[in-house]
Amino acid sequence: MRNVRRILLALAFTLATLAHAQGATIDCVTDAPATITFMGDPVGNAAEIERETVAAFNEACPHITVTIVSGPASASDLLANYLTMLEGQSGDIDVMRVDVIWPGILAENLVDLMPYFSDEELAAHFPGFIQNNIIGDKMAAIAFRLGAGMLYYRTDLLERYGFDGPPATWDELEGMARTIQEGERAEGNADFWGFVWQGNNYEGLTTNALEWQVSEGGGSIVSPAGDVEVANDATIRAFERAAGWVGTISPPGVVGYVEDDARGVWHAGNAAFMRNWPYAYSISFDSEAIGDVFDVAALPAGASGTSAAAMGGWSIGVNRYSANVDAAVAFAKYFASYDEQKRRAIRSSINPTIAALYQDADVIEAVPFFAGLDSVFMGATPRPSTVTGTRYNRVSTLYSTAVHSILTGGEDAETALTLLELDLESLLGN
Ligand code: GLC
């Protein structure tokens, strides 16, 4: 049923886009022929959507050739690629995807996009996502998606094992995951696991661990005022609990998982619960195993009594070493436009940064959780990238490395967090 609905939606979307495209104007910025390169996203169905984006852009701006080079799946690896490229003042990649936590790190190497946008165009976006890209007097990038951590769950399995709804707390999640896993294995599915998430040592682990920590009441790594918040009982408890999942309700290999690894297990029908970003929603309908039997909810709460979702998101910027800045800006502008955010919302369940799209009937119909989980998105917890600025990546690496050593049993939580607190204090000069 859901697949039929998807096909109808895709058709409705195509017709709506065609109708809209007739009236829409695409700003090519330059008439000069140019070839530009964009480092694409390999996660979920993003690569397919990006090819559609380029084709639509070329309808209006055929003189600008866009070459897509597939980037790495891990945000941390992507940043490392960029930093190596920029260190050599290379313009090899003209158009860059910029994670919500990177404007402070990358701004000096990105073109100021402010002159290319009208006030009206900027006012269409959520102000916080525009503000986040303004570093000094420069707008380093333009937002094209936002996101937050969410819980995916199997409706069929909850019902089969007698649970009324998704877990409200981490303790409940543990209990349900264990019951379902035992039951499914007893039925002969030896590959079945209770809960999959992102445990590799990279930026994704920072977001998962931040959710465990904040929901337990342990603070948010570095407070907005600059105070380090990691060595405390709540955070120790939160990370010990997560370490206990590894090899019990979560596969031992979870400590090597990035987003699409978790999604692969889920997609194959081998997980009861998954922590992931919104992108995993629409592509899950394509799964033979679970396409009709899943839903999403807020992540469970910890001892603080509330749940926490890490705030994610991406913008698009132009490399200041690009040989074709105007052509690159034209593509970046199109990428972040209403039409493209709508395409990504419907085809990839990617939350837009343009407020009006949340009132768009096609979008609401394709992605009902945008409205249903409104409070999750609006109340998401940012990582401390504003307060730590250019040092954010070192903060995050120290944090994810400490968490990873707890998860893999290298260090106990108390020792790892005490050392982490000292490292962060000295990095931040407190
Ligand atoms: C998602 C988020 C991004 C985050 C990354 C971590 O792509 O949108 O903000 O840094 O996941 O893996």
Side-chain angles (χ1 to χ4, degrees), residues 75 99-101 145 202-204 207 259 277 311-314 383:
D99 199 326
V100 67
I101 53 198
R145 81 190 257 185
Y202 79 121
E203 186 61 36
T207 59
E259 283 80 0
W277 305 98
M311 181 189 290
W314 291 83
R383 283 159 278 172

Side-chain angles (χ1 to χ4, degrees), residues 370-390:
F370 282 1
L373 293 184
D374 192 49
S375 57
V376 170
F377 297 108
M378 294 308 136
T381 305
R383 283 159 278 172
S385 55
T386 302
V387 64
T388 60
T390 53

Side-chain angles (χ1 to χ4, degrees), residues 6 13 38 41 45-46 48-50 52-54 97 142-146 278-279 282 314-316 331-353 357 363 366-367 370:
R6 279 201 86 212
F13 170 69
F38 166 66
D41 182 355
N45 65 1
E48 184 188 331
I49 307 303
E50 284 165 357
E52 293 176 15
T53 304
V54 170
R97 286 179 299 116
I142 180 73
F144 71 88
R145 81 190 257 185
L146 60 85
Y279 87 93
S282 60
W314 291 83
S315 293
I316 189 154
F331 183 64
K333 277 194 81 167
Y334 182 65
F335 203 93
S337 68
Y338 186 100
D339 286 0
E340 282 306 310
Q341 294 210 17
K342 180 166 177 172
R343 182 200 306 281
R344 260 174 252 122
I346 292 177
R347 304 262 284 109
S348 308
S349 48
I350 299 289
N351 301 54
T353 60
L357 278 163
V363 171
V367 208
F370 282 1

Side-chain angles (χ1 to χ4, degrees), residues 22 28 63-64 73 81 96 103 133 165 190 199 283 319 384:
Q22 285 167 359
C28 298
H63 55 289
I64 301 175
N81 277 7
M96 295 159 59
N133 285 324
I283 200 173
N319 183 350

Side-chain angles (χ1 to χ4, degrees), residues 69-403:
V69 175
S70 181
S74 144
S76 303
D77 292 346
L78 179 60
L79 180 63
N81 277 7
Y82 285 163
L83 293 176
T84 307
M85 174 183 81
L86 296 168
E87 179 84 55
Q89 306 196 345
S90 159
D92 283 355
I93 303 296
D94 301 274
V95 183
M96 295 159 59
R97 286 179 299 116
V98 178
D99 199 326
V100 67
I101 53 198
W102 297 343
I105 299 170
L106 294 176
E108 61 170 328
N109 290 302
L110 296 171
V111 170
D112 180 14
L113 295 183
M114 196 74 94
Y116 296 94
F117 284 86
S118 68
D119 290 349
E120 200 191 345
E121 284 171 320
L122 294 182
H125 293 256
F126 291 123
F129 284 83
I130 296 292
Q131 198 53 47
N132 188 57
N133 285 324
I134 297 183
I135 306 292
D137 55 4
K138 178 190 266 195
M139 187 172 83
I142 180 73
F144 71 88
R145 81 190 257 185
L146 60 85
M150 331 192 284
L151 184 72
Y152 289 74
Y153 65 94
R154 288 277 299 273
T155 49
D156 57 334
L157 297 180
L158 257 51
E159 202 185 314
R160 188 176 308 159
Y161 292 90
F163 300 114
D164 292 339
T169 65
W170 291 114
D171 289 343
E172 272 178 35
L173 178 136
E174 267 183 37
M176 290 163 121
R178 189 166 292 119
T179 303
I180 298 172
Q181 183 177 306
E182 279 168 9
E184 291 302 292
R185 290 203 180 178
E187 294 287 307
N189 184 355
D191 296 328
F192 194 90
W193 292 97
F195 183 37
V196 291
W197 37 280
Q198 295 80 46
N200 200 346
N201 181 4
Y202 79 121
E203 186 61 36
L205 178 56
T206 295
T207 59
N208 281 246
L210 177 66
E211 288 158 355
W212 308 329
Q213 177 179 351
V214 172
S215 66
E216 197 67 16
S220 56
I221 314 177
V222 182
S223 77
D227 298 320
V228 174
E229 307 176 322
V230 288
N232 55 61
D233 290 346
T235 307
I236 292 171
R237 232 177 18 244
F239 293 175
E240 279 175 350
R241 181 173 57 215
W245 298 335
V246 180
T248 59
I249 58 168
S250 303
V254 77
V255 294
Y257 280 12
V258 299
E259 283 80 0
D260 258 1
D261 299 315
R263 193 179 61 77
V265 177
W266 163 257
H267 202 91
N270 288 333
F273 300 104
M274 169 174 74
R275 184 271 177 209
N276 218 321
W277 305 98
Y279 87 93
Y281 182 82
S282 60
I283 200 173
S284 292
F285 290 117
D286 297 343
S287 161
E288 295 260 319
I290 59 147
D292 286 334
V293 287
F294 78 94
D295 209 339
V296 291
L299 286 164
S304 77
T306 53
S307 76
M311 181 189 290
W314 291 83
S315 293
I316 189 154
V318 171
N319 183 350
R320 68 182 265 229
Y321 304 109
S322 165
N324 293 292
V325 166
D326 284 348
V329 169
F331 183 64
K333 277 194 81 167
Y334 182 65
F335 203 93
S337 68
Y338 186 100
D339 286 0
E340 282 306 310
Q341 294 210 17
K342 180 166 177 172
R343 182 200 306 281
R344 260 174 252 122
I346 292 177
R347 304 262 284 109
S348 308
S349 48
I350 299 289
N351 301 54
T353 60
I354 293 179
L357 278 163
Y358 291 83
Q359 319 291 312
D360 187 299
D362 304 333
V363 171
I364 305 283
E365 182 163 17
V367 208
F369 77 77
F370 282 1
L373 293 184
D374 192 49
S375 57
V376 170
F377 297 108
M378 294 308 136
T381 305
R383 283 159 278 172
S385 55
T386 302
V387 64
T388 60
T390 53
R391 289 167 298 182
Y392 173 75
N393 196 44
R394 275 175 288 159
V395 169
S396 179
T397 304
L398 285 169
Y399 181 74
S400 67
T401 302
V403 178

